[in-house]
Amino acid sequence: MISFEVNDMTCGHCVSAITKAVKQTDRGAVVAVDLGSKRVQIDSKVADEAELKAAIEEAGYTPVKAAAAAEASGQSGGSCCGSCH
């Protein structure tokens, strides 16, 4: 499972565009999008992380690997703001 945070995903149209871009890269991919958390999870047997990221970027969005996004914001694991222990 590959997870991205896509902070510039703001509406249903964005969800559709990202899903379509991923499916063009791998028709059989399972795509789960949570608009509220701006998270896209992809299970692909064909495409790797770089290919999927490139597809989302070509659709006009800015995907960041979910673990990298949490580290960049100072968050770890399930912590919401880095202050919780």
Side-chain angles (χ1 to χ4, degrees):
M1 183 77 61
I2 299 167
S3 296
F4 294 107
E5 284 188 23
V6 186
N7 289 320
D8 48 356
M9 175 176 64
T10 59
C11 66
H13 177 267
C14 298
V15 171
S16 178
I18 290 170
T19 301
K20 182 178 177 182
V22 169
K23 292 286 192 172
Q24 286 177 338
T25 303
D26 176 5
R27 286 183 181 266
V30 176
V31 183
V33 181
D34 182 346
L35 185 57
S37 67
K38 301 196 181 285
R39 176 131 338 183
V40 178
Q41 293 183 308
I42 306 163
D43 187 8
S44 174
K45 305 287 189 247
V46 177
D48 65 15
E49 181 181 322
E51 292 172 308
L52 296 167
K53 182 178 180 181
I56 295 170
E57 288 172 340
E58 287 175 24
Y61 299 91
T62 312
V64 177
K65 186 173 179 180
E71 290 171 12
S73 67
Q75 295 179 3
S76 61
S79 177
C80 60
C81 63
S83 297
C84 302
H85 299 285

